[in-house]
């Protein structure tokens, strides 16, 4: 029994209907119709292939932005050739900033020397742990945009679409498929490969199929080469992947392939090669946004903020609604004493219809620091309303605390920082600022305890260490002051006050 | 035979000369190796090896370990004042001042004539807030042997007790004793500056800068003095010298901002001051200056905001309330402006501008009686100021307004105004907000003349303040592009700010 479908007459051909649904991206309906078709005369290849594609599209995530390193890849992979690369030629040496970006005294950092970015992608890596132990001890979201796993577990989770309870069990049983047979028919094979790779997340079988298919196409089809390269990349065979991508590029210039190749180079820790790849790509596709953006990301990861900003501006010249570029340039302006300009960038995002907690939070901050007092608090209220989890709420309260400090209402500031901690107990900055407020009131012991918590939660922040050092020096506990000052210097080597303090303490120690 | 036996017994102190040599050359690794060897040979009985090991630990900042070793030393040789002194010093470095005092007293029994013991006792008493005892000890130390550090500490104690004059005496003696110590010169210069003795302050700070051109404290103090005299370009060139070495110092940016303000470059002034404020949100001087600049630029809402913040951090200052009242007058909140003036008049003792501004406001409101009252208050203050001859306000404008005022109130004859021929100082005026009322010509402007508060060098830096809020990384979920589909349960990752504390 067919159900009438909206605008279409009830008497439509079911296959046509299913196709139409697929084109309009109504995948659920499409796969239902295909299932019906498959039931009546079994072995209808068109319906089978269509259902495969519909299922794949439901869970499809672009492979280019799917770049996550688990702890294992960060620690135990030794793909980089140079162990101690020259500064400016490696992604693994944070703190080799030559871009003259704002210092940690102005712009917050996530890891030592990595300033917070304006836009977070799944592949965002801000610094790396140096030992396995450290990686396990740090908070799980300190290094990547989502909680870190032991090995790229997200791929595993992506593939769990097959576990969804289907009334008639899984759609196909991979172990029973005769891949060699399918590889003969390219039309079926491509759809099937995508299904195996993206829906089932079974890289090995996908690779088998791709190998058979590319052989059948006598190695003349660049698409299969790219797919094989993707499989290799997932399996961690970066050099093999690079070979496949290069040979695909020889056949056919595609933006996708260039992006994949650059991804391989970033993973091999060769940012300069990656940038060159992008630039060659730009010769073939002048003004391609994803390529320019890729260059900007690499420079940002190398802490060369000013160059990154140049490229992000190029992105905006091509595509003036590019969210990532707008956000990065906006945050850059905010931290270089230009909150008014940052405000214009964020307002642009608002006009484009972006509507979330972070944006309103940033708008509120920019309004406050650009002295647009009429819009400040309403933005923060909106941000609180839109916050999706407690961490975001905590961030907004924290920033409200800063606004309260700015208007001189320390009691309000105290309440705001307390609320930050209520929402997120591991908020080192709030502990530190509460300690500063406690110092203002003269509660030395309380301040000391808060600072200790802050520095244990975020060893990469220099402020708690420095404040501890000053506090201890005041009461005369010079040993504690010295150890704290040393940690502060480690976290922010260019801090003048820390250096002066250490100098002073050393004189104390040297004196008889 | 006896000689033979003596030769077989290894001398305990056999290699002290080597240990000493390596320690003095700062070759600590080598030194530690020799010490280890020596201690193994002498089964831990070589006093000097333990002593130097403890000194090395102390230099590395491991005070606890060095304390234990010094205690070992004083067990090995209980008659030595030196060992006791070192134990006490280690206790002092750990912040255990009471225990340190006890041990120092023990050491003093062994050695009567040692300045170090008296000096350190003084410092310990200072930490424990026993200032009288501390002073006695430090004076005793000076009698035994004069040292810069002792003078420093003595001056510090006088300052802690709030006796600036005595502190100046102490520092004067100290500078006579060692005329090339930049710390002493700078501190003395700043103390003169606080007392208003510009000539002497300039002399001492200049000396300090001659010996050490990059001295941050002295530069800041000297610059703030030049600003007070209106030499903004000279002050700016001084600040340029230190700006590269201390890029994140809020007092420095505050002073640079006020230099630009003096040169009528208001936008530059605001941006420098705002940077200073971002680096030190709890500093009232910066907020005061921001309020002042915004008043000058006729941005009354921002001016009110900054002045209000400054008042909450520094509630006992008349000028702040006066400026706040000027801002409120322009925001058309006359009731609160009056209350703010009341507060200002209560708190202020020597600035006639407060009364003049209040009088102008009252007059414009039509309250002639009140205006007359304030006008007389102002005259009193002006006379006092004339006696003290430190003309601290802009006579030209004041005279003008005051004469008009006097004429309007028919009291003007009582006071003979004389215009001083001197160039008026760097004073800014808030622009007139003359709103003509029909009956009478309102008097001109409110004279919001604030002085640029420049912070002379940052003495005793308190805890730093939270640096600016971290703006969160705004994470926009990409609008569904074909290339970036979102996943239902775990849509694109979000990370908000990593805001900074400081």
């Amino acid at each position: 029994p067919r159900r009438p479908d909206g605008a279409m007459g009830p008497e439509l051909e079911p296959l046509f209907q299913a196709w139409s649904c697929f084109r309009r991206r109504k995948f659920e309906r499409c796969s239902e119709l295909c299932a019906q078709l498959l039931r009546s005369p079994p072995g209808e290849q068109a319906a089978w292939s269509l259902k495969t594609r519909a299922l794949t599209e439901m869970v499809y995530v672009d492979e280019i932005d799917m770049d996550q390193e688990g702890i294992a890849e960060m620690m135990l992979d030794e793909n980089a050739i140079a162990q101690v690369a020259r500064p400016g030629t490696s992604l693994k040496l944070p703190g080799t900033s030559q871009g003259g970006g704002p210092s940690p005294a102005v712009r917050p950092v996530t890891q030592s020397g990595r300033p917070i970015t304006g836009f977070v992608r799944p592949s965002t890596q801000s610094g790396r742990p140096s030992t396995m132990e450290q990686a396990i001890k740090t908070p799980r979201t300190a290094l990547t945009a989502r909680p870190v796993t032991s090995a790229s577990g997200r791929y595993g989770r992506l593939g769990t679409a097959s576990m969804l309870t289907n009334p008639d069990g899984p759609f196909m049983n991979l172990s029973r498929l005769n891949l060699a047979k399918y590889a003969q028919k390219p039309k079926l094979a491509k759809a099937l490969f995508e299904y195996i790779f993206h829906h089932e997340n079974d890289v090995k079988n996908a690779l088998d199929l791709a190998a058979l298919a590319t052989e059948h196409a006598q190695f003349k089809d660049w698409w299969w080469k790219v797919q094989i390269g993707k499989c290799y990349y997932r399996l961690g065979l970066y050099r093999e992947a690079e070979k496949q991508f290069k040979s695909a590029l020889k056949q056919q210039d595609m933006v996708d392939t260039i992006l994949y190749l650059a991804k391989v180079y970033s993973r091999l820790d060769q940012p300069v090669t990656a940038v060159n790849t992008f630039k060659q790509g730009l010769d073939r596709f002048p003004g391609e946004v994803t390529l320019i953006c890729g260059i900007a990301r690499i420079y940002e990861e190398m802490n060369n903020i000013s160059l990154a900003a140049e490229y992000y501006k190029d992105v905006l010249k091509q595509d003036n609604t590019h969210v990532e570029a707008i956000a990065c340039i906006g945050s850059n302006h905010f931290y270089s004493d230009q909150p008014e300009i940052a405000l214009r960038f964020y307002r642009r995002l608002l006009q484009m219809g972006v509507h979330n907690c972070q944006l309103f939070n940033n708008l509120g901050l920019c309004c406050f620091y650009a002295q647009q007092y009429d819009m400040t608090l309403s933005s923060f209220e909106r941000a609180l309303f839109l916050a999706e989890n407690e961490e975001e709420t905590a961030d907004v309260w924290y920033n409200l605390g800063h606004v309260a400090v700015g208007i001189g209402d320390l009691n309000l500031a105290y309440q705001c920082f307390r609320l930050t901690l209520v929402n997120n107990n591991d908020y080192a900055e709030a502990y530190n600022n509460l300690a500063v407020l406690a110092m203002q009131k003269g509660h030395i012991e309380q301040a000391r305890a808060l600072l200790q918590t802050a520095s244990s939660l975020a060893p990469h922040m220099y402020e708690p260490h420095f404040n501890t050092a000053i506090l201890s020096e005041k009461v005369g506990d010079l040993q504690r002051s010295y150890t704290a000052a040393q940690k502060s210097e480690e976290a922010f080597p260019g801090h003048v006050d820390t250096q002066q303090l250490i100098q002073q303490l050393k004189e104390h120690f040297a004196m008889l | 035979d006896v000689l033979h036996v003596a030769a077989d017994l290894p001398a305990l102190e056999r290699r002290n000369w080597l240990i000493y040599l390596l320690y003095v050359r700062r070759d600590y690794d080598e030194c530690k190796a020799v010490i280890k060897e020596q201690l193994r040979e002498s089964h831990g009985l070589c006093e000097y090896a333990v002593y130097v090991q403890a000194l090395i630990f102390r230099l590395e900042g491991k005070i606890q370990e060095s304390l234990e070793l010094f205690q070992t030393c004083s067990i090995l040789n209980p008659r030595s004042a030196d060992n006791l002194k070192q134990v006490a010093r280690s206790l002092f470095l750990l912040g255990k001042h009471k225990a340190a005092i006890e041990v120092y007293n023990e050491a003093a029994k062994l050695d009567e004539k040692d300045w170090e013991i008296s000096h350190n006792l003084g410092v310990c008493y200072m930490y424990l807030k026993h200032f009288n005892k501390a002073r006695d000890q430090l004076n005793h130390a000076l009698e035994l042997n004069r040292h810069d550090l002792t003078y420093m500490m003595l001056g510090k104690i006088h300052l802690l007790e709030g006796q600036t004059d005595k502190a100046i005496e102490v520092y004067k003696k100290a500078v006579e004793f060692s005329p090339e110590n930049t710390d002493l010169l700078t501190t003395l210069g700043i103390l003169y500056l606080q007392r208003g003795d510009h000539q002497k302050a300039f002399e001492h700070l200049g000396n300090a800068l001659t010996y050490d051109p990059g001295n941050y404290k002295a530069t800041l103090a000297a610059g703030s003095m030049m600003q007070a005299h209106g030499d903004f370009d000279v002050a700016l060139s001084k600040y340029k010298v230190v700006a590269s070495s201390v890029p994140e110092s809020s007092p420095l940016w505050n002073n640079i901002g006020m230099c630009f303000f003096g040169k009528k470059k208001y936008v530059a002034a605001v941006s420098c001051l705002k940077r200073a404020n971002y680096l030190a949100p709890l500093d009232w001087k910066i907020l005061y200056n921001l309020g002042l600049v915004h008043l000058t630029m006729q941005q009354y809402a921002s001016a009110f905001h900054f002045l209000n913040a400054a008042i909450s951090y520094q509630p006992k200052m008349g000028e702040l309330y006066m400026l706040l009242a000027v801002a409120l007058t322009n925001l058309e909140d006359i009731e609160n402006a009056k209350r703010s003036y009341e507060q200002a008049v209560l708190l202020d003792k020597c600035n006639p501008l407060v009364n003049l501004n209040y009088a102008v406001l009252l007059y414009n409101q039509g309250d002639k009686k009140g205006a007359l009252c304030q006008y007389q208050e102002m005259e009193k203050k002006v006379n006092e100021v004339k006696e003290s001859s430190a003309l601290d306000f802009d006579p030209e404008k004041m005279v003008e307004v005051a004469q008009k005022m006097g004429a309007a109130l028919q009291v003007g004859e009582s006071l003979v105004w004389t215009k001083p021929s001197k160039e008026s100082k760097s004073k800014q005026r808030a622009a007139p907000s003359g709103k003509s009322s029909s009956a009478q010509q309102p008097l001109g402007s409110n004279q919001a003349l604030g002085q640029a508060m420049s912070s002379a060098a940052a003495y005793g830096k308190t805890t730093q303040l939270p640096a600016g809020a971290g703006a969160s990384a705004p994470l926009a979920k990409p609008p569904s592009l074909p290339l970036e589909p979102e996943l239902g349960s775990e849509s694109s990752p979000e990370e908000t700010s990593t805001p900074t504390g400081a």
Side-chain angles (χ1 to χ4, degrees):
Chain A
R2 293 189 209 127
R3 270 185 287 157
D5 182 38
M8 312 221 177
E11 291 312 309
L12 273 178
E13 176 68 33
L15 185 58
F16 173 77
Q17 221 177 328
W19 262 110
S20 164
C21 281
F22 180 76
R23 268 203 306 275
R24 287 174 292 137
R25 300 185 67 81
K26 295 186 176 174
F27 301 122
E28 304 277 343
R29 180 93 185 95
C30 171
S31 78
E32 274 172 36
L33 288 167
C34 290
Q36 284 172 21
L37 278 170
L38 286 174
R39 243 173 263 139
S40 34
E44 170 102 35
Q45 280 185 351
W48 183 84
S49 168
L50 186 58
K51 176 158 186 182
T52 312
R53 290 178 65 188
L55 288 175
T56 310
E57 281 291 328
M58 283 183 208
V59 296
Y60 184 86
V61 174
D62 191 14
E63 187 63 13
I64 289 171
D65 275 337
M66 275 297 313
D67 198 3
Q68 275 207 286
E69 286 185 277
I71 294 181
E73 286 98 329
M74 286 187 209
M75 301 304 321
L76 309 175
D77 263 18
E78 288 295 339
N79 287 306
I81 297 166
Q83 289 306 314
V84 186
R86 272 185 308 126
T89 60
S90 159
L91 302 169
K92 296 192 180 179
L93 286 174
T96 51
S97 163
Q98 338 103 336
S103 75
V106 178
R107 186 168 186 156
V109 290
T110 48
Q111 297 285 301
S112 48
R114 284 241 195 259
I116 62 162
T117 114
F119 185 88
V120 182
R121 301 174 301 274
S123 52
T124 300
Q125 300 283 350
S126 43
R128 347 179 122 254
S130 49
T131 62
M132 199 76 185
E133 230 170 83
Q134 189 192 338
I136 293 165
K137 270 198 290 192
T138 46
R140 288 184 69 209
T141 50
L143 304 161
T144 54
R146 56 179 68 254
V148 132
T149 55
S150 57
S152 294
R154 194 158 144 68
Y155 301 137
R157 230 174 318 157
L158 279 179
T160 49
S162 51
M163 309 288 178
L164 291 179
T165 45
N166 246 342
D168 17 325
F171 175 53
M172 61 175 89
N173 190 339
L174 288 185
S175 55
R176 288 174 49 194
L177 286 183
N178 181 355
L179 295 178
K181 192 183 77 182
Y182 285 97
Q184 306 299 320
K185 306 175 187 165
K187 293 189 180 69
L188 283 185
K190 286 192 179 180
L192 180 61
F193 171 86
E194 296 231 299
Y195 177 83
I196 299 174
F197 189 84
H198 290 285
H199 189 281
E200 296 294 315
N201 195 28
D202 183 344
V203 183
K204 196 186 149 300
N205 271 323
L207 185 58
D208 289 347
L209 174 62
L212 291 167
T214 193
E215 215 169 318
H216 179 258
Q218 289 156 5
F219 306 102
K220 287 202 176 82
D221 187 348
W222 64 269
W223 192 86
W224 281 118
K225 288 183 181 168
V226 172
Q227 303 317 307
I228 293 174
K230 272 159 69 172
C231 292
Y232 281 143
Y233 182 86
R234 278 262 185 113
L235 294 170
L237 305 166
Y238 301 118
R239 287 294 177 192
E240 282 78 359
E242 177 198 12
K243 258 191 218 126
Q244 295 291 340
F245 291 138
K246 272 191 165 163
S247 114
L249 266 181
K250 273 203 193 90
Q251 257 173 7
Q252 173 82 23
D253 282 334
M254 293 296 282
V255 176
D256 257 10
T257 321
I258 298 168
L259 291 173
Y260 281 126
L261 193 55
K263 226 171 95 155
V264 171
Y265 287 131
S266 313
R267 184 51 74 86
L268 291 172
D269 192 22
Q270 297 181 2
V272 181
T273 319
V275 168
N276 288 338
T277 310
F278 279 129
K279 283 184 176 161
Q280 284 160 11
L282 279 173
D283 292 342
R284 289 172 212 151
F285 303 96
E288 170 60 41
V289 170
T290 45
L291 299 179
I292 309 176
C293 190
I295 298 181
R297 285 178 193 178
I298 287 180
Y299 279 129
E300 195 174 20
E301 215 163 323
M302 291 203 292
N303 276 0
N304 197 336
I305 303 283
S306 50
L307 253 180
E310 286 302 309
Y311 280 100
Y312 278 128
K313 279 178 189 153
D314 287 349
V315 171
L316 287 190
K317 277 178 199 148
Q318 302 294 341
D319 169 11
N320 53 19
T321 57
H322 198 275
V323 175
E324 180 177 348
I326 295 177
C328 285
I329 295 178
S331 63
N332 226 350
H333 278 298
F334 180 86
Y335 287 118
S336 43
D337 285 337
Q338 295 166 315
E340 304 84 0
I341 301 175
L343 178 59
R344 297 189 57 179
F345 277 97
Y346 287 130
R347 275 185 49 197
R348 165 89 192 168
L349 285 179
L350 189 66
Q351 285 165 346
M352 282 161 33
V354 179
H355 190 80
N356 60 16
C357 167
Q358 286 84 5
L359 177 62
F360 278 103
N361 173 39
N362 290 352
L363 276 172
L365 276 179
C366 287
C367 282
F368 181 72
Y369 282 102
Q371 292 165 262
Q372 308 286 339
Y373 299 123
D374 47 351
M375 278 287 297
T376 306
L377 289 176
S378 52
S379 300
F380 279 121
E381 275 169 4
R382 187 73 58 87
L384 278 178
F385 174 74
L386 287 171
E388 288 170 2
N389 54 38
E390 292 195 330
E391 281 78 18
E392 287 176 14
T393 313
D395 278 324
V396 181
W397 277 118
Y398 175 80
N399 287 332
L400 274 167
H402 269 286
V403 172
V405 169
I407 59 176
D409 188 343
L410 289 187
N411 287 327
L412 178 63
Y414 180 81
Q415 301 282 6
C416 288
F417 291 135
R418 295 294 309 186
L419 276 169
T420 308
L421 292 183
V422 168
N423 281 297
N424 180 356
N425 211 352
D426 300 341
Y427 211 105
E429 289 88 356
Y431 280 111
N432 175 64
N433 291 357
L434 276 175
V436 173
L437 295 183
M439 276 293 299
Q440 286 272 327
K441 289 183 189 161
H443 304 321
I444 304 280
E445 280 312 308
Q446 192 187 357
R448 185 196 299 279
L450 285 165
L451 286 173
Q452 200 168 3
T453 315
S455 47
S456 64
L457 281 172
H460 62 269
M461 268 172 30
Y462 80 97
E463 293 94 346
H465 298 310
F466 179 65
N467 289 342
T468 310
I470 288 184
L471 201 66
S472 310
E473 201 262 344
K474 241 200 190 107
V475 297
D477 186 349
L478 302 189
Q479 172 165 26
R480 194 178 293 182
S481 177
Y482 186 70
T483 42
Q486 275 179 317
K487 282 181 194 158
S488 164
E489 189 176 40
E490 213 172 293
F492 177 15
H495 192 227
V496 181
D497 292 324
T498 304
Q499 286 161 357
Q500 286 174 344
L501 185 68
I502 288 182
Q503 190 61 37
Q504 212 177 319
L505 290 171
K506 278 192 170 156
E507 277 169 23
H508 267 294
F509 294 156
M511 217 175 59
L512 286 177
Chain B
D1 281 32
V2 178
L3 279 178
H4 263 296
V5 177
D8 284 348
L9 274 178
L12 279 186
E13 314 286 335
R14 203 157 57 89
R15 264 183 291 192
N16 283 359
W17 62 274
L18 181 58
I19 292 174
Y20 173 77
L21 205 64
L22 291 170
Y23 172 74
V24 172
R25 286 182 189 166
R26 303 196 182 180
D27 191 348
Y28 297 132
D29 295 336
E30 188 65 25
C31 187
K32 277 183 194 169
V34 176
I35 288 173
K36 214 169 174 179
E37 179 65 22
Q38 185 64 20
L39 286 176
R40 206 176 45 80
E41 253 178 44
S42 64
H43 305 292
L45 293 179
C46 174
E47 186 197 342
Y48 190 72
V50 180
Y51 186 85
V52 174
Q53 177 69 54
L55 283 179
I56 293 175
F57 272 142
R58 179 186 289 171
L59 283 173
E60 289 168 348
K62 301 174 184 163
I63 312 293
Q64 193 58 48
E65 285 95 328
S66 79
L67 172 66
E68 282 157 19
L69 288 178
F70 280 129
Q71 279 166 337
T72 314
C73 279
S74 56
I75 290 168
L76 287 174
N77 183 359
R79 297 300 311 150
S80 142
D82 234 11
N83 290 343
L84 279 179
K85 262 165 56 179
Q86 293 295 7
V87 171
R89 174 118 192 111
S90 297
L91 285 169
F92 162 78
L93 290 176
L94 285 171
K96 299 173 181 165
H97 301 120
K98 274 200 181 115
I101 287 175
E102 282 167 22
V103 182
Y104 271 125
N105 286 332
E106 290 291 311
K109 283 174 198 164
L110 294 173
D111 185 353
E112 304 274 322
K113 288 278 166 228
D114 190 337
W115 73 272
E116 267 183 40
I117 294 177
S118 307
H119 171 91
N120 283 324
L121 273 172
V123 178
C124 287
Y125 280 128
M126 186 186 81
Y127 274 110
L128 294 173
K129 306 245 183 330
H130 299 324
F131 293 131
N132 288 335
K133 278 184 184 169
R135 263 205 314 271
D136 298 344
Q137 289 290 354
L138 287 169
N139 283 323
H140 183 61
L142 284 175
E143 282 162 25
L144 290 171
N145 211 334
R146 292 196 295 172
H147 280 266
D148 294 359
L149 254 178
T150 315
Y151 281 118
M152 271 292 213
M153 288 298 162
L154 200 54
K156 205 168 160 182
I157 287 173
H158 284 305
L159 286 178
L160 283 173
E161 288 179 309
Q163 301 161 322
T164 319
D165 293 342
K166 277 190 182 170
I168 286 183
E169 287 305 311
V170 171
Y171 280 116
K172 256 191 191 162
K173 275 186 208 153
V175 169
E176 279 166 26
F177 170 68
S178 67
E180 293 192 14
N181 184 329
T182 47
D183 280 345
L184 289 172
L185 285 168
T186 308
T187 316
L188 184 55
I190 290 172
L191 285 176
Y192 277 130
L193 195 62
Q194 283 172 334
R195 228 178 44 176
D197 190 344
H198 285 253
Q199 188 53 45
K200 281 183 176 159
F202 203 83
E203 193 182 313
H204 287 104
L205 290 171
N207 284 344
L209 284 174
T210 318
Y211 294 123
D212 177 9
N215 187 324
Y216 162 73
K217 257 189 180 179
T219 308
L220 220 52
S224 76
M225 224 156 54
M226 291 165 190
Q227 273 173 272
H229 292 292
D231 310 338
F232 300 116
D233 287 314
V234 185
L236 270 177
S237 66
K238 283 258 179 253
Y239 292 143
K240 260 187 202 136
V241 177
V242 289
S244 54
S245 61
V246 195
E248 279 124 21
S249 136
S250 61
L252 179 70
W253 284 109
N254 175 42
N255 288 5
I256 291 176
M258 287 333 271
C259 272
F260 284 127
F261 179 60
K263 293 167 71 178
K264 303 253 186 333
K265 292 185 177 169
Y266 299 133
V267 177
V270 169
S271 65
C272 290
L273 286 170
K274 278 178 76 176
R275 171 178 291 191
N277 181 38
Y278 183 93
L279 293 167
L282 297 178
D283 187 337
W284 67 270
K285 282 181 182 168
I286 300 167
L287 289 164
Y288 175 103
N289 289 337
L290 273 166
L292 186 66
V293 178
H294 281 96
L295 270 184
T296 314
M297 293 164 73
Q298 301 179 43
Q299 296 187 346
Y300 300 111
S302 294
F304 171 82
H305 162 96
F306 288 120
L307 291 166
N308 194 20
I311 283 179
S312 36
Y313 294 130
Q314 177 75 15
K316 294 267 176 284
M317 194 170 161
E319 278 116 349
L320 274 172
Y321 285 99
M322 174 186 84
L323 293 180
L324 190 72
V326 174
L328 282 166
T329 312
N330 287 298
L331 293 171
E332 292 165 23
D333 184 355
I334 301 299
E335 270 317 298
N336 279 323
K338 277 186 186 168
R339 286 169 58 194
S340 184
Y341 272 127
E342 287 297 333
Q343 193 66 28
V345 172
L346 267 183
L347 289 171
D348 191 86
K349 294 286 170 276
C350 58
N351 186 351
L353 282 171
V354 177
N355 305 95
L356 181 64
N357 276 329
Y358 193 17
V360 170
L361 173 76
L362 288 174
Y363 181 79
N364 284 345
Q365 292 300 313
D367 178 3
K368 286 197 181 173
K369 212 165 158 190
L372 183 62
C373 192
Q374 288 305 319
Y375 185 77
Q376 284 160 347
E377 277 291 313
M378 175 194 71
E379 284 182 344
K380 250 190 253 166
K381 280 185 187 174
V382 168
N383 289 330
E384 280 169 28
V385 169
K386 272 190 177 160
E387 281 158 29
S388 68
S389 80
L391 273 178
D392 210 13
F393 54 92
D394 179 349
E396 306 238 352
K397 282 316 288 189
M398 253 206 54
V399 171
E400 203 178 301
V401 178
Q403 280 175 338
K404 274 190 198 166
M405 189 85 194
L409 297 171
Q410 284 103 37
V411 290
E413 312 311 312
S414 60
L415 221 158
V416 185
W417 293 93
T418 49
K419 290 196 180 186
S421 54
K422 258 184 15 180
E423 260 302 292
S424 67
K425 290 189 202 158
S426 59
K427 289 292 163 184
Q428 317 305 328
R429 238 171 313 127
S433 63
K435 284 181 39 186
S436 301
S437 60
S438 50
Q440 45 179 344
Q441 273 295 325
L443 289 164
S445 51
N446 276 340
Q447 308 258 313
L449 307 179
Q451 287 167 279
M453 290 279 157
S454 51
S455 11
Y459 359 78
K461 269 201 116 159
T462 42
T463 331
Q464 294 250 313
L465 299 171
S472 58
L475 209 240
K477 275 189 198 153
S480 271
L481 299 170
L483 277 179
E484 304 185 62
E486 296 182 18
L487 299 174
S489 57
E490 348 170 53
S491 50
S492 58
E494 309 230 333
E495 172 186 294
T496 7
S497 53
T498 317
T500 318

